[in-house]
Amino acid sequence: MAENPLLDIEDIVRGSLTDEDSSSLIEKISQLEPEEIALVLEAMPVEQRVSTWLELHPDDQVAALTYMRVDARENIFKQLDEQQLRTLVEGMEVDDLIELLDELPQRIYNYACSRLDASQRSWLETALTYDDDQCGRYADHDLLIINKNAKVRDGIRMFRKLADDAEYQDALFVIDRTGRYAGLVHATALLGQPSHLPVENFLDKEAPVVTGEMELEQGSDIVSRSGYTALAVVDADDKLLGRLSIGEALENVRRALESQFMHTAGLDEEEDLFAPVFDSAKRRALWLGINLLTAFLAAWTIGLFEATLQQVVALAVLMPIVASMGGIAGSQTLTLMIRGLALEQITPQTYMMLFRKELGVGAINGVLWALVIAVITYFWFGDWIIGGVIGLAIVINIIAAAISGVFIPIWLEKLDIDPALSGSVILTTVTDVVGFFAFLGLGSLFLLA
Amino acid sequence: MAENPLLDIEDIVRGSLTDEDSSSLIEKISQLEPEEIALVLEAMPVEQRVSTWLELHPDDQVAALTYMRVDARENIFKQLDEQQLRTLVEGMEVDDLIELLDELPQRIYNYACSRLDASQRSWLETALTYDDDQCGRYADHDLLIINKNAKVRDGIRMFRKLADDAEYQDALFVIDRTGRYAGLVHATALLGQPSHLPVENFLDKEAPVVTGEMELEQGSDIVSRSGYTALAVVDADDKLLGRLSIGEALENVRRALESQFMHTAGLDEEEDLFAPVFDSAKRRALWLGINLLTAFLAAWTIGLFEATLQQVVALAVLMPIVASMGGIAGSQTLTLMIRGLALEQITPQTYMMLFRKELGVGAINGVLWALVIAVITYFWFGDWIIGGVIGLAIVINIIAAAISGVFIPIWLEKLDIDPALSGSVILTTVTDVVGFFAFLGLGSLFLLA
């Protein structure tokens, strides 16, 4: 029984970074699945990543690259010389080339194209008619295609010719004479059948299909829910473009969810753990700059009340509490909304229901924590009016947070902007401004002599 | 060719909430996959969810429940009367019962157990010897088990008896006389083989195995990277407990990533979009309370400088900028670390490398934005000293953010606390306190007359 490969990943990463001799390291890495090799390489600082990668078998080199994050992969390409890049692309399959083409230097890409034969070039051209987030671009050509009027024995021959490492190949993709997709024939359906019958007799027409225009995430959801190990990807004329397998679907689902998570901090999903310092600083600077604008907006709001602050300095001490409670309450609502929108569970019919619910939640927590804060404030500053002012400001801000948390993501989604990326920056701007304005405004009303 | 089911989900949700007649709605929903039915039901307010669910076919009722979030499911159970609950569990398979048992009232669970036969009960008992995050508890019993010395014809008979809706059933799980798992036999391997040969001749011993003790997430990763559609789950004596399929693995991967995302806002992954207001408020109150403690800590830091604030009110206006920039920079580092730790890409050997890198990124962005802020501050308040003070405070706080962003998640992981859940609250406490202290402290040093 094969040893469990996953258990070793962390050990391999550890070993790779101590003085273990490199040939035994390479041997261990070579036993891993390509996804795992990619994880191990990403976990290495760039210099060592390149030297380790160079020692891998050419097939593993390419496979690992296709599974790596874009940045981590680019940091390898940057270290390779012209000859190494040429050698890399010489043996490359078209689907790997499609995966890597954005990071390859133009002249290397051209060189790779010049070495393709006519059928491969036509495949590449078809794929490139689709956008880089569409299923058509990534349709996998590693599939068993059979003609409608072929016999059971032809199908069996196809299955038996499969290489050992063929993944999720338990069905034949059946096409008619014009190349139109007609359905699947499962290996299990052919078991024990007379070899002279046409495969058409065993056709599964129920399997859903993925179209080339579909977004990768949508196609992946369809595959993952279908219960099939792979579905056909077809063009607008029902011609078979390739397949989308459950393995790729899983990878796509993982990437989509990971990128949602990274986006909440203004990071790119492709960010390399060991990106060069300057590259990384450049990427993150923009997000800090956007945040700075909103921070100045909040500061400007406070500036409106300079005179009040001068007289009642307790307000300056307490004001971050109001902003912070609003920000937290709002981001809870926002996060729930982002998930609901991503799963398509939120529709115009439920906007108002969700709003009423979140408003209710906000009202309960607003009043509860306002009371707690008012009492603590009284004991700290010995002044019931300050306690009352902060309590009221908290209620106002938590309710503003509920409203923003529901409607900001809905509105961003309508504008086709990713709510995971921009939602929280806009939300905290609202809760900061509303919080400071309500607190200092109420303070000016009730506390100035 | 079957219609694409996914395209209809949002439409169905929309339709379900307008006055469309309910029988046509039920008909549409019944054509969906169970995962999709669960999504549609979750998207409905509780009352309508229950009435719709009650009209589903009993099989769909159970299947949809197993795919729903715990809270959404619980909100259905709460609306059912004793008789409805009994009817529900009467026809239930053991694996569904295991999935639902935490939410079922004890007496209903006991009733369900009393109706199991001896073999089902022993299955249930074995499953319950494993924790609720271990693979052993969820091993799927819907698999084809064959004896080592059975013949090819027996294997073929098994495949042909499969129901149409059997998912990911392209291999037989082979056991020896004592029930020990020996390997897989793929359907494709039996194609065209003489029917009198023993299946043992076609054994795939290379497939990794999942152990009952493994965490669900780890087992799911193994299945998803293996390229197999399902792997055997075995106990400590190599006895076959069941299987873990790629479909379940994908669902588990999705849940784990979704919960990481929800945790960053202090939310539970199981939270129902339409949870009753009071339940939802109760759940979220704790997170707000924890945040309040940290907000008071920040306020207390500010309070140390009351005298300074009274004299230089500009400090009160500007101080949220310092805290905010530190919080954003820190959460970028934190998010990158959380992802790296979750993927096991970060080990003690790389702690210092990552720290140096993040420190470098922090230094570059700290100095860059400090200069920008200093200049803006000068134009706003006409005072170079305030500009210098805020610039210096920004540099200090962004560097503190880099240090915290790297070491807080490492330290939480060592304490076995989820960094996605607690990391950001601790991080912003650090950046708030350091930011206010540095800014107001420097202000006291340089600005007081």
Side-chain angles (χ1 to χ4, degrees):
Chain A
M1 215 162 295
E3 249 185 295
N4 177 344
L6 188 81
L7 290 175
D8 300 321
I9 285 196
E10 214 186 323
D11 288 345
I12 291 178
V13 174
R14 279 171 203 261
S16 73
L17 299 161
T18 54
D19 52 4
E20 201 183 326
D21 80 300
S22 90
S23 68
S24 90
L25 172 68
I26 299 295
E27 197 180 306
K28 273 190 209 164
I29 293 181
S30 304
Q31 286 164 17
L32 299 174
E33 301 287 333
E35 291 97 312
E36 296 169 323
I37 299 180
L39 284 173
V40 172
L41 290 172
E42 284 176 358
M44 294 177 180
V46 175
E47 202 175 309
Q48 192 190 355
R49 185 189 296 163
V50 175
S51 66
T52 308
W53 179 83
L54 279 171
E55 290 187 57
L56 296 174
H57 184 277
D59 289 349
D60 284 345
Q61 284 184 337
V62 174
L65 285 175
T66 62
Y67 278 105
M68 282 169 81
R69 293 171 208 298
V70 170
D71 283 11
R73 171 201 296 171
E74 211 168 9
N75 287 328
I76 290 187
F77 286 156
K78 280 186 194 152
Q79 306 294 317
L80 300 182
D81 63 28
E82 192 74 13
Q83 192 47 53
Q84 286 170 321
L85 283 168
R86 281 175 173 249
T87 313
L88 175 69
V89 300
E90 266 163 19
M92 211 179 254
E93 305 267 338
V94 176
D95 48 0
D96 296 329
L97 188 59
I98 291 170
E99 196 79 46
L100 303 179
L101 68 85
D102 286 332
E103 289 81 53
L104 286 172
Q106 184 66 39
R107 58 178 196 289
I108 300 296
Y109 172 67
N110 292 342
Y111 173 71
C113 289
S114 72
R115 297 181 53 95
L116 297 176
D117 65 27
S119 89
Q120 288 177 313
R121 195 160 318 164
S122 116
W123 167 7
L124 180 66
E125 276 159 14
T126 308
L128 294 183
T129 60
Y130 294 96
D131 291 344
D132 67 0
D133 66 341
Q134 289 185 322
C135 294
R137 181 173 288 218
Y138 304 101
D140 178 4
H141 280 231
D142 191 11
L143 76 175
L144 303 172
I145 301 177
I146 197 166
N147 213 287
K148 226 171 167 177
N149 43 28
K151 306 289 182 218
V152 166
R153 76 173 79 85
D154 304 314
I156 292 178
R157 204 174 300 129
M158 285 194 128
F159 277 119
R160 296 183 80 171
K161 262 204 297 197
L162 267 190
D164 261 359
D165 59 346
E167 293 188 345
Y168 311 118
Q169 301 274 21
D170 57 355
L172 305 170
F173 289 78
V174 183
I175 54 171
D176 66 15
R177 244 167 279 172
T178 62
R180 285 210 172 74
Y181 169 71
L184 297 173
V185 169
H186 302 285
T188 48
L190 298 183
L191 281 170
Q193 297 296 350
S195 62
H196 64 275
L197 292 178
V199 288
E200 201 182 354
N201 290 11
F202 306 99
L203 207 57
D204 172 358
K205 297 179 185 169
E206 295 298 307
V209 290
V210 172
T211 68
E213 283 82 18
M214 268 182 200
E215 283 189 18
L216 206 51
E217 208 181 323
Q218 193 189 6
S220 303
D221 278 341
I222 295 176
V223 173
S224 76
R225 290 173 192 154
S226 69
Y228 289 83
T229 54
L231 296 180
V233 182
V234 298
D235 71 7
D237 299 323
D238 268 349
K239 291 237 168 71
L240 186 63
L241 292 170
R243 64 168 195 160
L244 180 59
S245 77
I246 180 92
E248 285 147 27
L250 194 143
E251 192 63 22
N252 296 334
V253 166
R254 195 195 288 273
R255 288 280 157 121
L257 286 165
E258 240 187 63
S259 96
Q260 196 181 51
F261 177 69
M262 301 292 278
H263 279 178
T264 55
L267 293 173
D268 192 313
E269 193 268 318
E270 303 293 347
E271 173 134 354
D272 183 359
L273 208 49
F274 291 98
V277 169
F278 189 74
D279 291 6
S280 203
K282 208 169 60 182
R283 286 193 155 210
R284 298 196 212 162
L286 175 68
W287 195 243
L288 286 162
I290 293 171
N291 179 66
L292 183 62
L293 285 180
T294 76
F296 266 112
L297 191 62
W300 172 81
T301 312
I302 300 171
L304 297 177
F305 300 96
E306 270 191 54
T308 312
L309 286 167
Q310 205 138 27
Q311 283 187 57
V312 194
V313 79
L315 294 179
V317 174
L318 294 169
M319 65 187 187
I321 296 177
V322 180
S324 161
M325 292 299 276
I328 294 287
S331 73
Q332 293 189 320
T333 302
L334 179 73
T335 303
L336 201 66
M337 290 293 294
I338 290 173
R339 184 189 65 174
L341 287 168
L343 295 173
E344 299 189 339
Q345 292 186 310
I346 294 175
T347 58
Q349 283 79 8
T350 48
Y351 291 168
M352 290 313 292
M353 277 181 259
L354 285 169
F355 174 58
R356 276 195 298 272
K357 179 205 144 199
E358 290 298 318
L359 200 63
V361 174
I364 293 176
N365 273 318
V367 171
L368 168 72
W369 292 110
L371 288 172
V372 172
I373 293 166
V375 170
I376 297 176
T377 302
Y378 167 72
F379 281 107
W380 188 351
F381 292 94
D383 185 340
W384 272 119
I385 304 187
I386 296 186
V389 164
I390 195 170
L392 198 52
I394 293 275
V395 173
I396 292 173
N397 205 22
I398 289 189
I399 288 177
I403 301 175
S404 320
V406 171
F407 290 108
I408 288 171
I410 289 175
W411 168 67
L412 287 172
E413 177 119 324
K414 285 214 170 119
L415 298 177
D416 227 7
I417 300 172
D418 177 8
L421 184 60
S422 340
S424 85
V425 130
I426 301 176
L427 178 98
T428 52
T429 308
V430 172
T431 52
D432 279 0
V433 170
V434 170
F436 291 136
F437 195 87
F439 182 50
L440 300 177
L442 289 168
S444 305
L445 270 180
F446 293 109
L447 291 164
L448 287 193
Chain B
M1 216 162 293
E3 248 185 295
N4 177 344
L6 189 81
L7 290 175
D8 301 321
I9 285 196
E10 215 187 324
D11 288 344
I12 290 179
V13 174
R14 278 171 203 261
S16 74
L17 298 160
T18 52
D19 52 4
E20 200 181 328
D21 80 299
S22 90
S23 68
S24 89
L25 171 67
I26 298 297
E27 198 180 307
K28 274 191 208 163
I29 293 181
S30 304
Q31 287 163 16
L32 299 174
E33 300 289 332
E35 291 97 312
E36 296 169 322
I37 299 180
L39 284 173
V40 171
L41 290 172
E42 284 176 359
M44 295 177 181
V46 175
E47 202 174 310
Q48 194 191 354
R49 185 190 295 162
V50 175
S51 66
T52 307
W53 177 84
L54 280 171
E55 289 187 58
L56 296 174
H57 185 276
D59 289 348
D60 284 344
Q61 284 185 338
V62 174
L65 284 174
T66 64
Y67 279 105
M68 282 168 81
R69 296 173 203 295
V70 170
D71 283 11
R73 172 200 295 171
E74 212 168 8
N75 287 329
I76 290 186
F77 286 157
K78 279 187 194 150
Q79 306 295 317
L80 300 182
D81 63 30
E82 191 74 14
Q83 192 47 51
Q84 286 169 321
L85 282 168
R86 282 177 173 245
T87 313
L88 173 68
V89 300
E90 266 163 21
M92 209 177 258
E93 305 269 337
V94 176
D95 47 359
D96 296 328
L97 188 59
I98 291 169
E99 195 79 49
L100 303 179
L101 67 82
D102 286 333
E103 288 81 55
L104 286 171
Q106 184 67 39
R107 57 176 197 290
I108 300 296
Y109 171 66
N110 292 342
Y111 174 72
C113 290
S114 72
R115 297 181 53 97
L116 297 175
D117 65 29
S119 89
Q120 289 177 312
R121 196 161 318 166
S122 115
W123 167 9
L124 180 66
E125 278 160 11
T126 308
L128 293 182
T129 62
Y130 294 96
D131 290 345
D132 66 0
D133 65 341
Q134 289 183 323
C135 294
R137 181 173 289 217
Y138 304 101
D140 178 3
H141 281 233
D142 191 10
L143 76 176
L144 304 172
I145 301 176
I146 198 166
N147 213 285
K148 225 171 166 171
N149 43 28
K151 307 290 182 222
V152 166
R153 77 174 77 87
D154 304 315
I156 291 178
R157 203 174 302 128
M158 283 192 129
F159 278 120
R160 298 184 76 172
K161 261 204 297 194
L162 267 188
D164 262 357
D165 60 345
E167 294 189 347
Y168 312 118
Q169 302 274 20
D170 57 355
L172 305 170
F173 288 78
V174 183
I175 53 173
D176 67 14
R177 241 165 282 170
T178 63
R180 284 208 174 76
Y181 169 70
L184 296 174
V185 170
H186 302 284
T188 47
L190 299 183
L191 280 171
Q193 298 296 348
S195 64
H196 63 277
L197 293 176
V199 289
E200 204 182 351
N201 291 11
F202 307 98
L203 209 56
D204 172 358
K205 296 178 185 172
E206 296 299 307
V209 291
V210 171
T211 68
E213 283 83 17
M214 269 183 198
E215 281 189 19
L216 206 51
E217 209 181 322
Q218 192 188 5
S220 303
D221 278 342
I222 294 176
V223 172
S224 75
R225 290 173 191 154
S226 69
Y228 289 83
T229 52
L231 296 180
V233 182
V234 300
D235 71 7
D237 300 322
D238 268 347
K239 290 237 168 74
L240 185 63
L241 292 170
R243 66 168 195 159
L244 180 57
S245 77
I246 181 93
E248 285 147 27
L250 194 142
E251 191 63 21
N252 295 334
V253 166
R254 194 195 288 272
R255 288 282 157 120
L257 285 165
E258 239 187 64
S259 99
Q260 198 181 48
F261 177 70
M262 300 293 278
H263 280 178
T264 55
L267 292 174
D268 191 312
E269 192 268 318
E270 303 293 347
E271 173 134 355
D272 183 359
L273 208 50
F274 291 99
V277 169
F278 189 75
D279 291 6
S280 202
K282 208 169 61 183
R283 286 194 154 209
R284 298 197 212 161
L286 175 68
W287 195 245
L288 285 162
I290 293 170
N291 178 67
L292 183 61
L293 285 179
T294 77
F296 265 112
L297 192 62
W300 173 81
T301 313
I302 301 171
L304 298 176
F305 301 95
E306 268 191 56
T308 311
L309 285 168
Q310 205 137 26
Q311 283 187 54
V312 195
V313 78
L315 295 179
V317 174
L318 294 168
M319 64 186 188
I321 296 177
V322 181
S324 161
M325 291 299 276
I328 294 288
S331 74
Q332 293 188 322
T333 303
L334 179 73
T335 304
L336 200 66
M337 291 292 295
I338 291 174
R339 185 190 63 175
L341 287 167
L343 295 173
E344 298 189 339
Q345 292 186 310
I346 294 174
T347 59
Q349 282 80 7
T350 48
Y351 290 169
M352 289 314 293
M353 277 180 260
L354 285 169
F355 173 57
R356 277 196 299 272
K357 179 205 143 201
E358 290 297 319
L359 201 62
V361 173
I364 293 176
N365 273 319
V367 171
L368 168 72
W369 291 110
L371 288 173
V372 173
I373 293 167
V375 170
I376 297 177
T377 302
Y378 168 70
F379 282 105
W380 189 351
F381 292 96
D383 184 340
W384 273 119
I385 306 186
I386 295 187
V389 164
I390 196 171
L392 199 51
I394 293 275
V395 173
I396 293 173
N397 205 24
I398 288 189
I399 288 176
I403 302 174
S404 319
V406 171
F407 290 108
I408 289 172
I410 289 175
W411 168 68
L412 287 172
E413 177 118 326
K414 284 213 171 120
L415 298 177
D416 227 7
I417 299 173
D418 176 9
L421 183 60
S422 341
S424 84
V425 130
I426 301 177
L427 177 100
T428 52
T429 309
V430 172
T431 52
D432 279 0
V433 169
V434 171
F436 291 136
F437 195 87
F439 182 51
L440 300 177
L442 289 168
S444 305
L445 270 179
F446 293 107
L447 289 166
L448 286 194

